Structures are given as structure tokens and as C-alpha cells.
Amino acid sequence: MSRNRVIYQSKALFIAPNATGVQLWASGAATVAAAKSQPEVGLAAAGLSGYNGTGLLYKLDRVQNCNFNFTINRQDVNEFGKLARIGTIVNEPPTVTLDYSYYITDGLNERLMGFNFGGTTTSTAGAPAFDTAMVSGAGAISGFLTETQGQNYYILTVDEGEDVVGATIGSATDSVIAIGNGFVTNYQFTASVGDVPTASVTVEGFNIKSDVGNGTVNVGYSGSSPAIYNGSVTAPASRITGYNKYYKINSAQLGSVAGTGAATVTALRPGDIVLSLPNPSAANEASFVNVADVGTNGINIQSFGFSVPLARTTLSRLGAMFGYNRVVNVPLNMDLTINALVNELAPAKDLFNVLCGNQTTKEFTITLNECSDSQPGLSPRAKIAYNFRGAILTSENHTQDIGGNETVDLTYSIQIGGSNDNANGLFMSGSYATGSNPTLSNSYPNGLSGLLQDFYKIGSDRNY
């Protein structure tokens, strides 16, 4: 029977560790290396008969919305002697876009997408000790500068009226929308009084496909990869044909306990956010308000946000319909915005004084803590933190009307440095743990921690 509608309970968004590499651990693969380099053989010989391997996909948690679209750019072909076109050709690769948002928790979603958790200070680790794939001290987006294949994304839809969490996937009507070679092109963070801190992500891919009814009851949902390798659908045998061509969504990952994810918090609250701001005492500080997080003269912050635009250019070449990479456009500029209620102005400020010479750069840190009630008598435990270095004030906007409070909007600009530049850009720390959900951890051959460090690499390490 056909569905009457599709609502959020029946959908889930999954991410793959890569685009063209292995996304399915064969039952006969004894090591990570073996899993990554399966020979070009039939499914049965590779231990995949009936899709009996373990899928390496992971469900992104706390997703609030998910949208996708594609655009086919066609070129009309006309000629003298006929007014209407004689045909159309597709002369450039299509544009596939995925947008989604989710509530911030402990950094696991960001880790899966390829952000580097190098630490918010030069002396502290940014990732749990088990995650050896992280580069200590490096910027959060350092991996995006060297990746070449992106990641695949999969949108699962189960039967109407059924929750994805706890579902036995594999019916003839279960379906998957698969997006190949997805590259993150924008990451936006927003936190404000009364709202749950949220991240919004935009992804651009090379290809999109659908699979319907490819499941095996009590095993999971399987299909073929949507990835394009180096701009060609006729890829080398070791890439997206044979073993690497297949993906699988594990039923075990969607159990009633495992399906809500590994995060130890349901969501983070705006009341548990700590924003460390720079001291405004410097003579060449341009702001006319006290940008400080302590003291009676500090502004009362209402909202905080930033956006990391990773605009990309598609690299193409003769002989291939699709691009072979989407490289990040440089230089990389990001904006950080603060909205606050004004109380006291900063003393002795003169804009003229900051017009000559370089303005002193600032450093911000925003820490999202777990609810302090979870640890009575102890200090709040940080779940995720963002550190911004090299920030310069670019605008300050004061507004006031009858019946309202005076507010100020501050905008800071940051230019992101290279992977070995620890003075400019965005840096992150996360607390994602894998031992909090044994049911989820045990659904992978080496546990969830093994899945992250063995397959969910960053940068060039996942270009296989």
C-alpha cells in the first residue's frame, strides 16, 4: 500500500566515512586493511552474499530538518533556419545540494563530517584520547583543505507510521536517497536566549540516486554507492565497482536503545553556555561597549553565532562529465556575530585612534556545558567548545526605540589560516564518547571508537 505522506518519524540521515572507498565491512575481512582493499570479486566470494557485511554508515543525531535538491544545467542548441531549439545538451555537471540542521551535543556529528578537534588552547587536547585520527593543535577545517572525494550521505525512509528508531528495516517499501561525493560548503552555529544551540550545514555533491526495497529483513538496508570517482562513472576496479560499490544501513544501529545515538545529553541549554570574550582595555580596541563576560559593566549577550563559508570551485577536465574535485575557494573569511543588551559604554573611545596601523586581534571561546544538575556539587562539564583566533571588529550597530532596550550588534571578521597556523581561524574541542551506548558500539566490528579512528579519517586520509 502506498504512503499517504512522509513525516519526520520515518526518516533518518546517515553519513558514510568517504565517497569512493569502502562503506561495508565484509564478514570475511579480518583487519581494517583487508576491509579497505577488498579484491574485485563476486559478492559471495567477498563474504557479502545476501549483504551479510557490516555497514560503516552512521546516523547523524538530533537532526531537525533535512532538504535536498538538484539542478540540471542544460544548454540549448539552435541553428540558422529554425526558430526553436533543435535539442539540448548537458554541458556541465549537475548541482546536488543537501541542507540539514541539528541540535549541538558533544561534537560527534562534526567529527563524522570531517572537522578536526585539535583543541581550543595550544596546551590541551581537543578530542578523546581514543581518537588518534585527530591532529592536535590544527584548525577545525584543516581537513577540508586536502580532501578530494568528499563523503556520501543517505536519507532513509521507512514505512508510514513507523519510527526509524526501533524499526526492522528491509521491507519492499523502505527507500533511500543517496547523495554522492558530498562536500561541506557551509557550517553555521547559532545560540540565543530561549533556543537550543543549533548547527546548520550545507553540502554540495556530484550525484544523487534512489534505492527502493533493497533491504534484507533483520539484516539491514543495502544498495550501490552514488559516488563518482575522479569525474568518471567507469572508475578503476578498486574504487566504486565491486566491493566498494556497496553500502549498508545496519538494523542493529537503529535499535530502541542504540537508535538515539551515543550522546550522553539530550540537548544543550543556552543557560549552560559560557562565552569568554576579550578584554576591551586596549587603546586600539574599536568597540564602544564593554565586550566582557564578567563584571557589572559587561554587555548582556542575547545571541551568538558564526558561519564558516566553505565555498568551492568544481575542477573539471576533458573526457569527464563530472568534476573530479571541489576545492575550497581561498582566502577563507568567516564572520562572528554578537547581539547584546547595552548597559555601560566603554570609556575614552575614539574611532580615529584605530584608523592607523593594525588593530589588535581578539580571541573568543564559547563553551557549551552539560547541565550542572547532572553533577551536583561539581563544576559544569564541557561538551563542546569553539575557539576563535585572529578576530577583528568590522561593524558595530546600536538600535533603540520607544518601549525597547538599546541593543548592539557586533560583527567580527576572521581569516582562516593553514593547517599549521595556530593563530588564526576556528579551533574545536569535543567530548564525544563511545562507551556510553554499548548497544551502538557493539554494532561495529571494532566498536564505535574503532569505526571513527579506522574509517572516519579527515582530509587526504579518507581519499581512498
Side-chain angles (χ1 to χ4, degrees):
M1 181 178 177
S2 62
R3 296 183 180 92
N4 294 304
R5 62 174 184 169
V6 177
I7 62 175
Y8 67 96
Q9 75 166 143
S10 302
K11 298 184 77 75
L13 176 63
F14 293 80
I15 190 170
N18 51 66
T20 57
V22 61
Q23 298 176 56
L24 184 65
W25 181 299
S27 58
T31 65
V32 172
K36 288 184 176 180
S37 58
Q38 287 297 313
E40 173 64 15
V41 295
L43 289 178
L48 301 176
S49 178
Y51 300 107
N52 286 326
T54 299
L56 302 178
L57 311 188
Y58 189 90
K59 183 176 73 67
L60 295 176
D61 298 327
R62 309 300 187 267
V63 172
Q64 299 301 294
N65 65 62
C66 180
N67 315 294
F68 66 90
N69 63 77
F70 62 89
T71 302
I72 302 174
N73 301 307
R74 299 181 183 272
Q75 179 178 327
D76 293 340
V77 179
N78 297 83
E79 68 174 2
F80 275 51
K82 185 174 176 61
L83 181 62
R85 64 192 179 197
I86 62 174
T88 63
I89 60 173
V90 178
N91 205 26
E92 58 184 72
T95 301
V96 180
T97 303
L98 171 69
D99 298 291
Y100 59 95
S101 68
Y102 55 88
Y103 290 152
I104 300 288
T105 54
D106 54 12
L108 182 56
N109 282 357
E110 287 80 2
R111 169 66 182 86
L112 294 166
M113 289 187 290
F115 284 88
N116 180 64
F117 284 82
T120 52
T121 68
T122 57
S123 59
T124 58
F130 74 83
D131 197 354
T132 57
M134 295 292 90
V135 182
S136 179
I141 70 162
S142 56
F144 295 130
L145 301 177
T146 58
E147 66 175 341
T148 63
Q149 301 299 329
Q151 293 172 276
N152 294 340
Y153 291 79
Y154 301 89
I155 305 171
L156 170 68
T157 303
V158 299
D159 291 340
E160 185 176 7
E162 185 178 35
D163 290 346
V164 171
V165 175
T168 301
I169 53 178
S171 75
T173 55
D174 288 345
S175 63
V176 167
I177 294 292
I179 296 172
N181 305 90
F183 294 84
V184 175
T185 58
N186 191 66
Y187 177 86
Q188 181 175 341
F189 170 93
T190 56
S192 61
V193 174
D195 292 324
V196 177
T198 302
S200 300
V201 181
T202 300
V203 174
E204 290 185 358
F206 283 146
N207 190 29
I208 185 170
K209 67 186 291 288
S210 63
D211 293 309
V212 179
N214 288 354
T216 303
V217 176
N218 296 325
V219 175
Y221 191 100
S222 304
S224 58
S225 169
I228 304 297
Y229 175 68
N230 277 3
S232 173
V233 295
T234 57
S238 61
R239 296 297 180 179
I240 56 170
T241 59
Y243 177 71
N244 284 357
K245 181 179 180 180
Y246 299 95
Y247 71 87
K248 177 183 170 184
I249 297 172
N250 301 325
S251 288
Q253 191 190 141
L254 301 178
S256 58
V257 175
T260 55
T264 57
V265 292
T266 303
L268 300 175
R269 307 182 307 176
D272 296 314
I273 294 176
V274 176
L275 184 57
S276 300
L277 302 175
N279 190 318
S281 61
N284 62 347
E285 168 59 47
S287 177
F288 277 59
V289 293
N290 282 323
V291 185
D293 61 330
V294 294
T296 58
N297 293 330
I299 57 176
N300 301 297
I301 296 174
Q302 303 300 294
S303 67
F304 179 94
F306 67 88
S307 177
V308 185
L310 297 168
R312 297 175 181 263
T313 297
T314 300
L315 300 182
S316 302
R317 58 187 169 205
L318 292 178
M321 180 65 244
F322 292 87
Y324 63 89
N325 197 356
R326 288 183 185 269
V327 293
V328 176
N329 297 342
V330 292
L332 283 167
N333 296 295
M334 63 174 289
D335 288 332
L336 183 155
T337 60
I338 299 172
N339 173 268
L341 299 179
V342 176
N343 47 11
E344 301 293 339
L345 294 179
K349 291 297 177 180
D350 189 337
L351 190 59
F352 180 82
N353 295 333
V354 303
L355 300 182
C356 295
N358 291 325
Q359 184 180 341
T360 302
T361 59
K362 302 299 178 183
E363 181 174 343
F364 297 78
T365 300
I366 180 169
T367 304
L368 285 72
N369 294 314
E370 187 175 5
C371 176
S372 57
D373 292 343
S374 63
Q375 300 183 94
L378 300 178
S379 299
R381 182 166 50 194
K383 299 303 291 181
I384 187 171
Y386 302 88
N387 177 247
F388 311 88
R389 303 173 193 171
I392 295 178
L393 182 70
T394 58
S395 71
E396 180 173 323
N397 182 31
H398 290 251
T399 59
Q400 174 79 73
D401 58 20
I402 295 176
N405 300 311
E406 181 179 354
T407 62
V408 61
D409 292 292
L410 303 167
T411 301
Y412 288 82
S413 174
I414 300 172
Q415 191 158 94
I416 296 174
S419 58
N420 59 343
D421 184 349
N422 61 8
N424 298 281
L426 169 65
F427 298 80
M428 295 170 61
S429 292
S431 64
Y432 48 93
T434 60
S436 60
N437 195 331
T439 304
L440 178 58
S441 184
N442 293 336
S443 64
Y444 300 101
N446 290 339
L448 184 54
S449 60
L451 177 73
L452 290 176
Q453 61 184 332
D454 292 336
F455 292 99
Y456 281 83
K457 303 288 189 177
I458 65 170
S460 58
D461 286 343
R462 70 181 182 195
N463 298 333
Y464 64 90

